[in-house]
mmCIF file of all heavy atoms in Angstrom:
data_model
loop_
_atom_site.group_PDB
_atom_site.id
_atom_site.type_symbol
_atom_site.label_atom_id
_atom_site.label_comp_id
_atom_site.label_asym_id
_atom_site.label_seq_id
_atom_site.Cartn_x
_atom_site.Cartn_y
_atom_site.Cartn_z
ATOM 1 N N PRO A 157 -9.038 2.628 -31.451
ATOM 2 C CA PRO A 157 -9.404 1.348 -30.741
ATOM 3 C C PRO A 157 -9.991 0.283 -31.638
ATOM 4 O O PRO A 157 -9.710 -0.874 -31.537
ATOM 5 C CB PRO A 157 -10.415 1.777 -29.674
ATOM 6 C CG PRO A 157 -9.917 3.132 -29.287
ATOM 7 C CD PRO A 157 -9.531 3.769 -30.601
ATOM 8 N N PHE A 158 -10.804 0.673 -32.714
ATOM 9 C CA PHE A 158 -11.415 -0.327 -33.569
ATOM 10 C C PHE A 158 -10.401 -1.066 -34.426
ATOM 11 O O PHE A 158 -10.646 -2.135 -35.009
ATOM 12 C CB PHE A 158 -12.533 0.257 -34.431
ATOM 13 C CG PHE A 158 -12.046 1.015 -35.588
ATOM 14 C CD1 PHE A 158 -11.815 0.431 -36.832
ATOM 15 C CD2 PHE A 158 -11.834 2.409 -35.500
ATOM 16 C CE1 PHE A 158 -11.318 1.174 -37.940
ATOM 17 C CE2 PHE A 158 -11.354 3.155 -36.585
ATOM 18 C CZ PHE A 158 -11.104 2.512 -37.810
ATOM 19 N N GLU A 159 -9.196 -0.500 -34.499
ATOM 20 C CA GLU A 159 -8.127 -1.188 -35.359
ATOM 21 C C GLU A 159 -7.252 -2.119 -34.477
ATOM 22 O O GLU A 159 -6.370 -2.716 -35.000
ATOM 23 C CB GLU A 159 -7.212 -0.026 -35.949
ATOM 24 C CG GLU A 159 -7.924 0.838 -36.878
ATOM 25 C CD GLU A 159 -7.088 2.027 -37.356
ATOM 26 O OE1 GLU A 159 -6.898 2.939 -36.580
ATOM 27 O OE2 GLU A 159 -6.616 1.924 -38.517
ATOM 28 N N LEU A 160 -7.625 -2.234 -33.206
ATOM 29 C CA LEU A 160 -6.832 -3.076 -32.303
ATOM 30 C C LEU A 160 -7.439 -4.511 -32.129
ATOM 31 O O LEU A 160 -8.631 -4.607 -32.096
ATOM 32 C CB LEU A 160 -6.614 -2.437 -30.936
ATOM 33 C CG LEU A 160 -6.128 -0.997 -30.813
ATOM 34 C CD1 LEU A 160 -6.249 -0.501 -29.405
ATOM 35 C CD2 LEU A 160 -4.727 -0.922 -31.376
ATOM 36 N N SER A 161 -6.536 -5.489 -31.922
ATOM 37 C CA SER A 161 -7.109 -6.817 -31.564
ATOM 38 C C SER A 161 -7.517 -6.750 -30.023
ATOM 39 O O SER A 161 -7.135 -5.757 -29.353
ATOM 40 C CB SER A 161 -6.035 -7.885 -31.769
ATOM 41 O OG SER A 161 -5.041 -7.693 -30.823
ATOM 42 N N GLY A 162 -8.196 -7.768 -29.530
ATOM 43 C CA GLY A 162 -8.555 -7.800 -28.092
ATOM 44 C C GLY A 162 -7.380 -7.755 -27.233
ATOM 45 O O GLY A 162 -7.287 -6.996 -26.287
ATOM 46 N N GLY A 163 -6.303 -8.514 -27.515
ATOM 47 C CA GLY A 163 -5.094 -8.522 -26.691
ATOM 48 C C GLY A 163 -4.412 -7.182 -26.733
ATOM 49 O O GLY A 163 -3.923 -6.711 -25.682
ATOM 50 N N MET A 164 -4.393 -6.511 -27.895
ATOM 51 C CA MET A 164 -3.748 -5.162 -27.971
ATOM 52 C C MET A 164 -4.542 -4.150 -27.118
ATOM 53 O O MET A 164 -3.894 -3.408 -26.386
ATOM 54 C CB MET A 164 -3.700 -4.710 -29.427
ATOM 55 C CG MET A 164 -2.579 -5.298 -30.209
ATOM 56 S SD MET A 164 -2.883 -5.068 -31.986
ATOM 57 C CE MET A 164 -1.990 -3.595 -32.340
ATOM 58 N N SER A 165 -5.882 -4.240 -27.186
ATOM 59 C CA SER A 165 -6.683 -3.306 -26.431
ATOM 60 C C SER A 165 -6.415 -3.465 -24.961
ATOM 61 O O SER A 165 -6.319 -2.551 -24.189
ATOM 62 C CB SER A 165 -8.195 -3.571 -26.660
ATOM 63 O OG SER A 165 -8.490 -3.479 -28.040
ATOM 64 N N ARG A 166 -6.313 -4.732 -24.561
ATOM 65 C CA ARG A 166 -5.997 -5.021 -23.095
ATOM 66 C C ARG A 166 -4.705 -4.373 -22.703
ATOM 67 O O ARG A 166 -4.555 -3.760 -21.693
ATOM 68 C CB ARG A 166 -5.985 -6.539 -22.946
ATOM 69 C CG ARG A 166 -5.858 -7.064 -21.497
ATOM 70 C CD ARG A 166 -7.080 -6.803 -20.696
ATOM 71 N NE ARG A 166 -8.262 -7.507 -21.168
ATOM 72 C CZ ARG A 166 -9.476 -7.142 -20.666
ATOM 73 N NH1 ARG A 166 -9.665 -6.190 -19.812
ATOM 74 N NH2 ARG A 166 -10.530 -7.766 -21.115
ATOM 75 N N ARG A 167 -3.693 -4.470 -23.543
ATOM 76 C CA ARG A 167 -2.369 -3.913 -23.270
ATOM 77 C C ARG A 167 -2.457 -2.380 -23.256
ATOM 78 O O ARG A 167 -1.748 -1.704 -22.431
ATOM 79 C CB ARG A 167 -1.367 -4.343 -24.292
ATOM 80 C CG ARG A 167 -0.887 -5.790 -23.958
ATOM 81 C CD ARG A 167 0.065 -6.333 -24.974
ATOM 82 N NE ARG A 167 -0.634 -6.841 -26.207
ATOM 83 C CZ ARG A 167 -0.043 -7.126 -27.367
ATOM 84 N NH1 ARG A 167 1.234 -7.002 -27.486
ATOM 85 N NH2 ARG A 167 -0.764 -7.655 -28.345
ATOM 86 N N ILE A 168 -3.325 -1.813 -24.104
ATOM 87 C CA ILE A 168 -3.516 -0.315 -24.077
ATOM 88 C C ILE A 168 -4.105 0.103 -22.767
ATOM 89 O O ILE A 168 -3.698 1.123 -22.194
ATOM 90 C CB ILE A 168 -4.357 0.166 -25.290
ATOM 91 C CG1 ILE A 168 -3.600 -0.223 -26.617
ATOM 92 C CG2 ILE A 168 -4.654 1.622 -25.249
ATOM 93 C CD1 ILE A 168 -2.320 0.425 -26.910
ATOM 94 N N LEU A 169 -5.122 -0.688 -22.354
ATOM 95 C CA LEU A 169 -5.748 -0.269 -21.056
ATOM 96 C C LEU A 169 -4.766 -0.349 -19.890
ATOM 97 O O LEU A 169 -4.758 0.539 -19.044
ATOM 98 C CB LEU A 169 -6.885 -1.260 -20.759
ATOM 99 C CG LEU A 169 -8.260 -1.012 -21.503
ATOM 100 C CD1 LEU A 169 -9.262 -2.111 -21.153
ATOM 101 C CD2 LEU A 169 -8.842 0.347 -21.198
ATOM 102 N N ILE A 170 -3.922 -1.357 -19.916
ATOM 103 C CA ILE A 170 -2.857 -1.398 -18.846
ATOM 104 C C ILE A 170 -1.957 -0.197 -18.902
ATOM 105 O O ILE A 170 -1.596 0.417 -17.917
ATOM 106 C CB ILE A 170 -2.143 -2.753 -18.948
ATOM 107 C CG1 ILE A 170 -3.076 -3.995 -18.713
ATOM 108 C CG2 ILE A 170 -0.969 -2.756 -17.984
ATOM 109 C CD1 ILE A 170 -2.477 -5.315 -18.900
ATOM 110 N N SER A 171 -1.516 0.127 -20.149
ATOM 111 C CA SER A 171 -0.566 1.216 -20.364
ATOM 112 C C SER A 171 -1.156 2.525 -19.880
ATOM 113 O O SER A 171 -0.443 3.417 -19.328
ATOM 114 C CB SER A 171 -0.224 1.393 -21.867
ATOM 115 O OG SER A 171 0.135 0.159 -22.362
ATOM 116 N N THR A 172 -2.492 2.700 -20.032
ATOM 117 C CA THR A 172 -3.170 3.970 -19.632
ATOM 118 C C THR A 172 -2.931 4.172 -18.126
ATOM 119 O O THR A 172 -2.767 5.315 -17.651
ATOM 120 C CB THR A 172 -4.673 3.839 -19.942
ATOM 121 O OG1 THR A 172 -4.780 3.474 -21.329
ATOM 122 C CG2 THR A 172 -5.397 5.155 -19.702
ATOM 123 N N ALA A 173 -2.974 3.100 -17.354
ATOM 124 C CA ALA A 173 -2.731 3.211 -15.840
ATOM 125 C C ALA A 173 -1.293 3.316 -15.556
ATOM 126 O O ALA A 173 -0.873 4.134 -14.685
ATOM 127 C CB ALA A 173 -3.350 2.023 -15.109
ATOM 128 N N LEU A 174 -0.417 2.662 -16.323
ATOM 129 C CA LEU A 174 0.982 2.570 -15.864
ATOM 130 C C LEU A 174 1.720 3.834 -16.199
ATOM 131 O O LEU A 174 2.815 4.068 -15.693
ATOM 132 C CB LEU A 174 1.676 1.378 -16.556
ATOM 133 C CG LEU A 174 1.090 -0.018 -16.061
ATOM 134 C CD1 LEU A 174 1.734 -1.136 -16.825
ATOM 135 C CD2 LEU A 174 1.379 -0.206 -14.546
ATOM 136 N N ILE A 175 1.225 4.671 -17.046
ATOM 137 C CA ILE A 175 1.892 5.920 -17.404
ATOM 138 C C ILE A 175 1.826 6.963 -16.308
ATOM 139 O O ILE A 175 2.521 7.917 -16.262
ATOM 140 C CB ILE A 175 1.422 6.443 -18.782
ATOM 141 C CG1 ILE A 175 2.439 7.375 -19.422
ATOM 142 C CG2 ILE A 175 0.102 7.136 -18.621
ATOM 143 C CD1 ILE A 175 2.534 7.419 -20.827
ATOM 144 N N GLU A 176 0.854 6.742 -15.387
ATOM 145 C CA GLU A 176 0.684 7.689 -14.273
ATOM 146 C C GLU A 176 1.651 7.402 -13.195
ATOM 147 O O GLU A 176 2.489 6.539 -13.273
ATOM 148 C CB GLU A 176 -0.753 7.589 -13.765
ATOM 149 C CG GLU A 176 -1.785 7.958 -14.779
ATOM 150 C CD GLU A 176 -1.624 9.269 -15.364
ATOM 151 O OE1 GLU A 176 -1.159 10.198 -14.631
ATOM 152 O OE2 GLU A 176 -1.961 9.562 -16.522
#
Side-chain angles (χ1 to χ4, degrees):
F158 76 88
E159 296 174 284
L160 307 174
S161 68
M164 279 162 97
S165 302
R166 188 67 64 196
R167 284 176 277 168
I168 297 296
L169 280 178
I170 295 172
S171 309
T172 308
L174 295 175
I175 201 148
E176 299 302 328

